[in-house]
Amino acid sequence: MIRLVALIPLFPLIGFLINGFFGKKISKGLSGAIASLSILASFILSILVFAELQASSVKEHVVHVFSWINSGHLSIPFEFLVDPLSSWFLLIITGIGFLIHIYSTGYMHEDEGFSRFFTYLNLFVFFMLLLVLGNNYLITFVGWEGVGLCSYLLIGFWYKNTAYNNAAKKAFIMNRIGDLGFLLGIILIFVNFGSITYTEIFDQAGTVDPSTITVIALLLFVGAMGKSAQLPLCTWLPDAMAGPTPVSALIHAATMVTAGIFMVVRSNVFYSISHVASETVAVVGVVTALFAATIGLFQNDIKKILAYSTVSQLGLMFLGLGVGAYSSAVFHVTTHAFFKALLFLGAGSVIHAMGGEQDIRRMGGLKGKIKITFITMLIGTIAISGIPPFSGFFSKDEILAHTFEEHKVLWVLGMIASMLTAFYMFRLLFLTFFGKFRGTHEQEHHLHESPASMTIPLVVLAVLSVVGGLLGLPEFWQLPNWMHHQLEPVIARPHFSMLSHETEWLLMGIAVAAALVMIYITWLLFIKKKVLPAEREDLLKPWQKLIYNKYYVDEVYEGGITKPINGIGKALYEFFDKQIVDGLVNGVGNLVKGAGSLIRLYQNGNIGFYVMNMALGVILIVLLTFIIK
């Protein structure tokens, strides 16, 4: 079955081609079915590949597809690498992707761009599968750029809205900055190793100068910062909420932002060698987690709150990567995929019920109107807040425990970010589903539960958000933990906790107690005291206004980078382009035109004039002949 792994990305590609060429000629039902079934086929095949890999004693299989690039000494085959890391990500991408496709058939049913939406969605999944399966950095980079393209297409899906187009451009441009770092890292790898194939590079990593490894690792991390929205390249992700809600779920849970995590784990050999690079990853991760968590405290758009929670959770994942807990970071990627897809799709169900309203200040009292959405979102909120026995508790606790072992200060910062998560997520839950309805009479009349195509994926994801943490409990399975032990062949230096059981229990107790305290404070404010967010920005205190405006990072970028670059571009256009380039081009044109005007006078149509000129020409030739002799 592993030999057929190339079919996994092929199925979504076929779905993309069918909907791309014939989507307008077939019904919406058939278009959605083709797109969804293509992902289901990939998911089933991913399960079979994963099962065969687990049963095999060989944990690394290279599947040659075709010869790709051969030029001089450069030879890059198109190959797929099937190992515990790639096979696990296949399950996440296709499994969560399939549920989002099913959900989208209901959510996007009335949209005029229905088939175009599924065309982009299938292409998105195809490129993400290519990214995780590639056996070399170039194939990974093709998938990397592909998901960037698809995110641009999907974020700006409703292209008639200028603001949505701007959000799409922002995501695309900011990711290009990170991609440049990734590309430079790949070039440096080829220069030093003579190859970009994973199976050839990592065996030689110890023979290269450590300072060079550090530069490579940092350049690769720049790419990860862009794709996985870490400071300073994180501001595109909240704006990406401009796209349809299923797109947000796909970007945040199964594709795009997880690409950076995957790439760092795949390149863990470099980070294991370079302590500087690892510490950089950890510091950037925890600072990003805090930065995004504080911003989430005062946001009122239901999707933007979830977006900042994603940035914060990704920061915690990078914190885990930075302290060497690679398998714990992958574990959190997995549980996060469950509850974040659930939360975004739940938010979409709320927006669907509210007739497009996204401001939680205009909601309230929805728990009795959309009960399935409420219950599932409650489960997702508990999971992301880190309350046992829900999935988020186990994966987040592992990262914090490893961080405590390596760096106490970073552990404290990670704990604060985790506490803030519990606050703003329950703030979202309480303001959306509890209290009195604060919307319009028309919105209240419109309230209804979403169709089965939307609620069934919510229920499935809710179940996974509850039981997903069992992946981290070897005692439950009576087997070696897959996430930690099966990833050992992929990880150069597996991180095993040296903490005593008493310390582990103490850390778990502190984490749970802190989360419960924050939930109680949230309940006290928004349920008992019925505090509501300020209706106007001028009613906020200065420090609240600072956070509400996202620390004015966008304004700093606009004033310090965008406007100066635009100003330089305008000045160069007015002087260099118009005066020099256009002057040179127009000058040549005018010269030719003037010469043509003069030569045209020579062609006067007088036969006698032409005969005289011929005679003069003959005389001139004869004279020149005598002179030359």
Side-chain angles (χ1 to χ4, degrees):
M1 192 59 63
I2 290 177
R3 291 176 300 174
L4 301 178
V5 71
L7 294 176
I8 296 177
L10 182 61
F11 286 132
L13 182 61
I14 292 173
F16 157 74
L17 293 173
I18 293 174
N19 271 318
F21 285 106
F22 308 107
K24 291 184 178 181
K25 300 178 182 179
I26 58 180
S27 66
K28 286 185 177 181
L30 182 57
S31 178
I34 290 171
S36 301
L37 289 173
S38 68
I39 306 300
L40 177 61
S42 295
F43 178 54
I44 293 171
L45 194 55
S46 296
I47 294 174
L48 297 175
V49 167
F50 176 77
E52 183 176 338
L53 185 67
Q54 294 305 298
S56 173
S57 58
V58 180
K59 298 300 182 183
E60 185 178 275
H61 297 265
V62 175
V63 179
H64 181 82
V65 182
F66 57 84
S67 296
W68 188 20
I69 298 175
N70 288 290
S71 177
H73 297 292
L74 177 64
S75 178
I76 304 176
F78 198 94
E79 294 176 336
F80 290 147
L81 176 62
V82 182
D83 64 1
L85 180 63
S86 61
S87 64
W88 186 250
F89 268 83
L90 289 180
L91 295 177
I92 296 173
I93 296 164
T94 56
I96 302 298
F98 172 65
L99 293 174
I100 292 172
H101 274 69
I102 294 296
Y103 179 96
S104 299
T105 59
Y107 189 87
M108 298 294 293
H109 188 263
E110 301 300 324
D111 197 283
E112 61 181 11
F114 187 88
S115 61
R116 178 167 58 90
F117 177 80
F118 279 99
T119 299
Y120 295 163
L121 221 58
N122 269 185
L123 187 64
F124 205 163
V125 174
F126 163 74
F127 277 122
M128 189 65 194
L129 292 170
L130 202 64
L131 189 155
V132 301
L133 277 173
N135 187 37
N136 59 64
Y137 278 106
L138 190 56
I139 297 176
T140 297
F141 188 73
V142 171
W144 190 274
E145 292 299 295
V147 295
L149 168 64
C150 293
S151 68
Y152 169 78
L153 295 173
L154 286 165
I155 293 169
F157 179 76
W158 290 313
Y159 56 86
K160 295 179 181 179
N161 187 310
T162 302
Y164 295 173
N165 285 330
N166 290 337
K169 287 189 291 185
K170 183 177 182 179
F172 191 78
I173 292 169
M174 196 160 283
N175 271 274
R176 298 293 73 70
I177 297 171
D179 294 352
L180 177 60
F182 188 19
L183 183 60
L184 292 174
I186 295 173
I187 293 171
L188 195 57
I189 288 171
F190 180 75
V191 169
N192 285 274
F193 292 91
S195 173
I196 55 173
T197 301
Y198 297 131
T199 49
E200 297 175 2
I201 294 169
F202 298 144
D203 291 338
Q204 306 175 45
T207 64
V208 177
D209 181 59
S211 61
T212 302
I213 296 295
T214 297
V215 175
I216 290 172
L218 290 175
L219 287 172
L220 295 179
F221 181 54
V222 170
M225 289 164 63
K227 203 63 82 197
S228 295
Q230 298 296 286
L231 280 171
L233 303 178
C234 64
T235 58
W236 69 268
L237 190 56
D239 289 358
M241 299 304 96
T245 301
V247 174
S248 304
L250 194 61
I251 289 175
H252 288 248
T255 61
M256 191 70 173
V257 297
T258 61
I261 306 293
F262 172 85
M263 191 266 290
V264 173
V265 177
R266 175 62 78 200
S267 309
N268 71 87
V269 172
F270 298 142
Y271 295 92
S272 298
I273 294 173
S274 173
H275 295 294
V276 173
S278 294
E279 290 175 1
T280 301
V281 171
V283 171
V284 170
V286 77
V287 171
T288 303
L290 268 175
F291 171 81
T294 55
I295 293 176
L297 297 175
F298 293 99
Q299 296 301 304
N300 297 314
D301 185 306
I302 189 170
K303 288 174 67 177
K304 284 202 172 183
I305 295 171
L306 296 177
Y308 280 108
S309 78
T310 298
V311 177
S312 184
Q313 295 300 304
L314 288 167
L316 291 177
M317 294 175 205
F318 278 106
L319 173 61
L321 296 175
V323 298
Y326 298 103
S327 57
S328 298
V330 173
F331 185 18
H332 198 48
V333 167
T334 306
T335 60
H336 180 264
F338 299 153
F339 57 69
K340 186 49 61 69
L342 169 61
L343 289 167
F344 264 112
L345 297 185
S349 183
V350 170
I351 295 168
H352 180 267
M354 290 290 296
E357 180 63 67
Q358 295 184 196
D359 193 329
I360 59 175
R361 293 174 296 186
R362 308 285 180 267
M363 299 178 186
L366 299 183
K367 66 176 183 178
K369 304 290 185 180
I370 46 176
K371 294 181 181 179
I372 297 176
T373 301
F374 165 65
I375 294 171
T376 53
M377 281 201 75
L378 173 62
I379 291 171
T381 303
I382 295 173
I384 195 175
S385 299
I387 305 299
F390 294 77
S391 61
F393 162 74
F394 297 98
S395 55
K396 190 183 295 184
D397 177 72
E398 277 194 14
I399 289 175
L400 292 174
H402 287 304
T403 304
F404 180 85
E405 191 175 9
E406 296 294 326
H407 204 297
K408 303 297 188 294
V409 174
L410 295 183
W411 173 79
V412 171
L413 297 177
M415 275 295 302
I416 295 173
S418 184
M419 291 168 61
L420 294 177
T421 299
F423 182 90
Y424 65 69
M425 286 306 304
F426 271 90
R427 171 181 177 268
L428 180 154
L429 187 80
F430 291 150
L431 290 175
T432 301
F433 293 100
F434 291 81
K436 295 181 179 180
F437 183 73
R438 299 180 295 277
T440 64
H441 176 73
E442 183 181 352
Q443 287 175 326
E444 188 173 18
H445 179 72
H446 182 269
L447 288 174
H448 63 280
E449 185 59 272
S450 300
S453 60
M454 294 170 64
T455 54
I456 290 174
L458 290 178
V459 172
V460 173
L461 289 167
V463 172
L464 292 172
S465 297
V466 174
V467 304
L470 298 177
L471 292 167
L473 292 178
E475 294 82 4
F476 176 83
W477 298 106
Q478 298 299 314
L479 292 168
N481 182 295
W482 184 91
M483 204 64 69
H484 298 284
H485 293 275
Q486 294 300 316
L487 280 180
E488 285 182 34
V490 181
I491 298 171
R493 298 175 186 172
H495 189 293
F496 297 102
S497 177
M498 302 301 292
L499 296 173
S500 65
H501 287 298
E502 292 78 9
T503 303
E504 288 181 350
W505 280 103
L506 177 62
L507 293 176
M508 283 191 286
I510 292 173
V512 174
L516 291 175
V517 167
M518 297 307 291
I519 294 170
Y520 173 73
I521 294 173
T522 312
W523 175 84
L524 201 63
L525 287 173
F526 301 106
I527 298 297
K528 188 173 182 180
K529 295 186 177 181
K530 296 181 173 58
V531 174
L532 293 176
E535 285 293 328
R536 301 194 316 271
E537 186 179 332
D538 59 350
L539 298 175
L540 296 173
K541 297 176 181 178
W543 67 271
Q544 293 175 327
K545 189 180 295 186
L546 174 68
I547 299 174
Y548 177 77
N549 286 288
K550 300 160 283 188
Y551 298 101
Y552 297 100
V553 172
D554 281 323
E555 287 76 4
V556 171
Y557 286 170
E558 180 71 19
I561 299 175
T562 305
K563 285 186 177 179
I565 290 176
N566 287 341
I568 293 171
K570 186 176 181 180
L572 289 174
Y573 168 73
E574 292 293 338
F575 172 70
F576 187 77
D577 193 48
K578 291 181 70 174
Q579 301 298 324
I580 299 178
V581 176
D582 286 355
L584 181 62
V585 172
N586 293 335
V588 172
N590 291 330
L591 179 64
V592 172
K593 184 179 178 181
S597 298
L598 292 174
I599 295 173
R600 185 182 59 187
L601 298 175
Y602 189 74
Q603 301 292 333
N604 57 15
N606 189 316
I607 296 176
F609 179 74
Y610 292 158
V611 171
M612 183 184 69
N613 283 327
M614 288 176 61
L616 291 174
V618 172
I619 293 170
L620 181 62
I621 293 172
V622 172
L623 289 174
L624 288 174
T625 303
F626 281 111
I627 293 171
I628 293 173
K629 288 182 177 181

